[in-house]
Amino acid sequence: MKHVLENIESQFEMFQVLNEKGEIVNKDAMPDLSDEQLKELMTRMVYTRVLDQRSIALNRQGRLGFYAPTAGQEASQLGSHYALDKEDYILPGYRDVPQLIWHGLPLYQAFLFSRGHFHGNQMPEGVNALSPQIIIGAQYVQAAGVALGLKKRGKKNVAITYTGDGGTSQGDFYEGMNFAAAYKANAIFIVQNNGFAISVPRDKQTAAKTLAQKAVAAGIEGIQVDGMDVLAVYAATKHARERAINGEGPTLIETLTYRYGPHTMAGDDPTRYRTSDLDSEWEKKDPLVRFRTFLENKNLWSEEEENKVIEKAKAEIKDAIKQADKYPKQKVTDLISNMFETLPTNLEEQMEEYKEKESK
Amino acid sequence: MAQKTMIQAITDALRIELKNDENVLVFGEDVGKNGGVFRATEGLQDEFGEDRVFDTPLAESGIGGLATGLALQGYRPVPEIQFFGFVYEVMDSINGQMARMRYRSGNTKNAPITIPSPFGGGVHTPELHADSLEGLIAQQPGIKVVIPSTPYDAKGLLLASIRDNDPVVFLEHMKLYRSFRGEVPDEDYTIELGKADVKREGKDVTIISYGAMVHAALKAADELAKDNIEAEVIDLRTVSPIDYETIIKSVEKTNHAIVVQEAQRQAGVAANVVAEIQERAILHLEAPVLRVTAPDTVYPFSEAEEIWLPDHKDIIEKVNEVMNF
Ligand SMILES: Cc1ncc(C[n+]2csc(CCOP(=O)(O)OP(=O)(O)O)c2C)c(N)n1
Ligand SMILES: [Mg+2]
């Protein structure tokens, strides 16, 4: 009897391009990005960090509802998204609002989603995406279907889906990868491994040494990436995308990252399950810090430029909140009309009943 | 007697039974170190150790299967489903497996499993957290569904559920967790499953309800009393099986009834109650039995939940309708 686990696990080494000091450690893997594109990546990360800070503040003031903080995960979220084409299809989890925004979801709609208004879930024409999935894992199986559809239609596009380390325990996680693999569908599966599923640490989630190795059973490529290194995440996703559209099958990408904030803004207290030592260990790996150093060394970035992005973000957030405030309140009659193409009789009756209630 | 919130009463019951029966195991997502997302298991892992109170990987179907298997090994599992909106993930385990264990094995095996789970509207949760899905389980023979409305009932019913030798889904309305305190004795006591409770006596009309709606019914009853309508409020406490004896006794006295549920109108518990009343007591009725329910949409995105949820005004309106029939 041959034991193979150790051999397999040892194959999964973390892929990195930029180290914590902002130095290129893997020249061959350096993605082919213009100076403008490099700056755009930084712009998006800075903007998204501001958006996170403002969203947390707005939530505390009672001006936003459900919100899952994103700070720390910018490289994982935006590096993977930047590798996509506008026509690619995103199936996000609840923490993946930034990818939707950079895919074209207007900010005020992201705020409406947070407030629990259905208009936040209405993707504008041309934004190929689902609204953030609440049921952990559901998006993974659906991604297999979207990817197979893209393949059948002969599209050179991918379906990309996101979950967390906790999400890899769901049956849907395996089923999604397995189905996509069986059909060699155009799918990319991202796992943002931020070390915790609410309070449960990654090592309680699975005996597997890496989450990337879970690709092996599905018969697809898996890679573990430094999720605080935006260049590595970008390069890995770009590569996975090329393979997918060339008919070489799906890829599982595990990004090693961390969420600085609480799980959501609904009462989670991370001090119950994380130490401040662990927090500071990860803050040293910060994706913005290292990429800023890298860009500054190339004379591509300055404090002044960063401040401009920050001010722009703040102004746009302010406008978007105003726009969200002005948007007509959601009514029960709206929800009734959103249930079926044509209303069955029970809902027709209830429509009248609630019209009357709402007119009071 | 101590004044406790419902969440404290639940923790109390879990602690008593963990102490009382070494086969009781409490597990689920975040129930260990974190003490549960609502702190229902606060301090229990410290007190009883990780062998008895533990976190699971994130998979409801896994949790349900684990519970079923542990039950086969003689344990008395208490697997929490973090929010009942996630029950679809574990539906086969609950309705397809646990509920059929006794039947399938020709009554040689059973599944003494209690599944506690938060549910219920009015607390601005994201999608699939607040839905009233008790009807999905109540339709399944072989499993009981318990829904307490007070801290006192929560403790006694949870202890009875864990000690029951058949599977029980124990639904905890989130709005009731901390919104008020009630008398809860420190000692061990149980409340028989399948028995309704008359929460307020009255002679004119019977309001049958459960969960958070019991409080809306009591509020309505207080207002109706000002108009000299004395409503009797019955709290089902167990929605499967239902205590028809208590209901019929009351209807025979009041000759008027309405049924109130937070769930949507279609199918559901209230429809069942109405059907049984008319089969058993039609000659005692002076008016049709009406329902107060939510409309037949999925649970609304949170911004619209206040209007969507039935309230005491809807109840008063329906009571007046049956009284003036
Ligand atoms: C099916 C399902 N089960 C449980 C939950 C509750 N829940 C929301 S987030 C979460 C933890 C998820 O952890 P992970 O997958 O690591 O993602 P992260 O939140 O860390 O980004 C849990 C248990 C849910 N939303 N859906
Ligand atoms: Mg996580």
Side-chain angles (χ1 to χ4, degrees), chain B residues 22-300:
Chain B
E22 62 181 21
N23 286 319
V24 169
L25 303 174
V26 175
F27 53 90
E29 293 157 10
D30 303 285
V31 306
K33 198 169 194 176
N34 205 35
V37 290
F38 291 101
R39 312 289 177 246
T41 52
E42 173 93 59
L44 296 181
Q45 187 175 71
D46 283 345
E47 194 174 336
F48 297 96
E50 235 187 299
D51 273 356
R52 308 277 314 280
V53 180
F54 52 94
D55 289 325
T56 62
L58 201 171
E60 289 74 18
S61 61
I63 293 169
L66 193 75
T68 310
L70 284 165
L72 292 171
Q73 284 291 310
Y75 287 96
R76 203 166 271 276
V78 183
E80 181 186 273
I81 299 301
Q82 195 166 76
F83 290 90
F84 205 57
F86 313 154
V87 71
Y88 299 108
E89 299 282 321
V90 60
M91 213 53 190
D92 178 61
S93 268
I94 297 176
N95 281 10
Q97 307 298 326
M98 297 171 193
R100 305 169 75 104
M101 182 67 77
R102 193 180 283 283
Y103 168 81
R104 179 180 296 148
S105 67
N107 217 348
T108 58
K109 291 182 170 59
N110 64 324
I113 299 166
T114 298
I115 304 172
S117 189
F119 82 111
V123 289
H124 298 296
T125 49
E127 220 195 328
L128 282 154
H129 283 63
D131 307 58
S132 289
L133 301 175
E134 65 277 9
L136 299 179
I137 314 296
Q139 209 213 351
Q140 172 65 45
I143 186 162
K144 299 173 186 176
V145 184
V146 175
I147 306 182
S149 72
T150 66
Y152 178 88
D153 286 356
K155 179 170 173 180
L157 288 166
L158 183 52
L159 279 165
S161 298
I162 300 173
R163 289 171 193 171
D164 199 277
N165 285 332
D166 287 305
V168 177
V169 165
F170 188 88
L171 296 175
E172 305 162 0
H173 200 293
M174 286 183 269
K175 185 101 192 187
L176 302 180
Y177 270 156
R178 292 187 169 84
S179 54
F180 68 100
R181 284 166 192 273
E183 295 282 310
V184 179
D186 287 327
E187 57 269 22
D188 182 346
Y189 65 96
T190 58
I191 294 171
E192 194 182 341
L193 304 187
K195 285 275 177 273
D197 184 40
V198 177
K199 285 277 186 299
R200 181 189 205 279
E201 287 190 25
K203 59 178 179 22
D204 299 322
V205 57
T206 305
I207 307 176
I208 300 140
S209 190
Y210 57 94
M213 283 299 131
V214 170
H215 299 279
L218 289 169
K219 192 168 172 191
D222 282 346
E223 302 225 341
L224 287 162
K226 292 177 200 154
D227 291 331
N228 289 322
I229 297 173
E230 288 302 329
E232 179 143 303
V233 177
I234 295 181
D235 176 1
L236 291 177
R237 298 200 292 203
T238 303
V239 301
S240 179
I242 289 173
D243 175 7
Y244 291 112
E245 208 183 304
T246 303
I247 295 171
I248 299 302
K249 213 173 108 196
S250 174
V251 172
E252 284 175 357
K253 173 175 72 176
T254 63
N255 311 116
H256 299 87
I258 68 163
V259 191
V260 185
Q261 69 181 16
E262 183 175 313
Q264 296 84 342
R265 189 175 173 87
Q266 60 185 60
V269 172
N272 210 18
V273 172
V274 174
E276 294 278 347
I277 293 174
Q278 71 84 21
E279 283 191 27
R280 292 167 194 241
I282 195 152
L283 295 179
H284 292 275
L285 290 173
E286 284 174 21
V289 183
L290 300 182
R291 281 175 289 166
V292 174
T293 70
D296 292 326
T297 74
V298 294
Y299 191 86

